[in-house]
Amino acid sequence: MIFRILLTYLRSKKASKLSMFDTGSLPMRATLTDIDFAGHINNGMYFSIFDLGRFDLMFRSGVWDVIRKNKWTPVVQAETITCRKSVKLGAKFTQETRVLGLDEKCIYFEQRIVCNGEIYAQGYIATRMRGRKGAVSNEEIMQAVGLTVPEDRVVPEWVSQWREASALPGARKPAPHTWLGR
C-alpha cells in the first residue's frame, strides 16, 4: 500500500485541486494484490483502498501540507463497511470519498467503491488528528486549513450512535482483555 499512496501523491500533483469538502474520485483497477482466494476484493482490502481515497482528498485539497507542517497524524477511530457486490480481478472501478461531517471529536468520511455506475461497497470512517500533545480539536484543524464546515455537512444521528456504541475506552483508560480466562 505504501507504493500506492506514493503513486496517489505523485498523481495528485497533476490532478485538479479540490476543497476538503468536495468529492474525490480515484479511478482504479483490481490487481492481484487486492484480491483474496475467492478472486475478489475482500472487506479488509476495501479499507486500505479507502485510505487511498482519504489521502488523495488531503493531497489535492492542500490539507496534507497543513498536517505535515503541524506534525499531526491522521488516525482512524472507527470504521464500518457494507458490501453488496464483488469487484473481481481486473475490474475497473472508482473509489469515491467525501467528508460526511464533523462532531466534537471526529471527522467522518463516507466512501464508496463504484463499478459500472453502481455502488459495490460503502464505508463510514470516523477519524481524528493526533499531535504531539494528543488529540487535535476539529476547531483547531479547521482554523489551520482555513475552512468552515458547510451547513449541509451534518453527521447523521445513526452514524454518531454507531461510533459511540462501537468505541473502546480512551487510550489513557484500561481496556482489559478477558477472553480465555485471562
Side-chain angles (χ1 to χ4, degrees), residues 8-172:
T8 299
Y9 176 74
L10 294 173
R11 286 181 177 162
S12 74
K13 297 296 184 188
K14 294 182 181 180
S16 59
K17 297 296 178 201
L18 297 174
S19 160
M20 194 62 196
F21 295 105
D22 287 337
T23 299
S25 181
L26 271 178
M28 302 183 81
R29 182 183 297 269
T31 67
L32 280 173
T33 58
D34 297 330
I35 63 167
D36 60 15
F37 285 114
H40 63 250
I41 298 177
N42 73 19
N43 57 312
M45 183 52 70
Y46 283 128
F47 286 125
S48 293
I49 291 170
F50 288 160
D51 286 347
L52 293 173
R54 291 191 309 279
F55 274 109
D56 179 64
L57 190 57
M58 288 186 287
F59 295 152
R60 292 173 62 193
S61 66
V63 169
W64 184 251
D65 296 333
V66 175
I67 290 170
R68 298 311 321 146
K69 176 183 165 205
N70 287 287
K71 297 186 168 110
W72 296 337
T73 303
V75 295
V76 169
Q77 186 178 41
E79 54 192 355
T80 187
I81 193 169
T82 302
C83 303
R84 63 176 289 273
K85 282 189 169 185
S86 294
V87 177
K88 299 196 185 296
L89 177 64
K92 291 181 180 181
F93 63 94
T94 59
Q95 192 289 294
E96 312 287 329
T97 301
R98 74 180 186 119
V99 172
L100 186 61
L102 291 74
D103 66 14
E104 67 283 347
K105 290 185 178 182
C106 294
I107 300 173
Y108 295 87
F109 290 85
E110 180 177 5
Q111 296 186 265
R112 297 176 174 179
I113 301 297
V114 179
C115 191
N116 299 320
E118 280 191 79
I119 301 168
Y120 275 42
Q122 180 170 279
Y124 295 90
I125 294 88
T127 65
R128 301 216 47 196
M129 205 64 68
R130 306 265 321 150
R132 291 181 185 160
K133 297 178 183 177
V136 180
S137 72
N138 287 339
E139 183 179 318
E140 185 178 352
I141 295 165
M142 291 298 111
Q143 185 176 9
V145 298
L147 292 173
T148 56
V149 181
E151 289 184 23
D152 67 338
R153 300 305 166 103
V154 178
V155 179
E157 183 61 29
W158 76 265
V159 172
S160 297
Q161 291 171 349
W162 154 74
R163 189 189 60 77
E164 288 295 324
S166 64
L168 290 169
R172 291 186 175 88

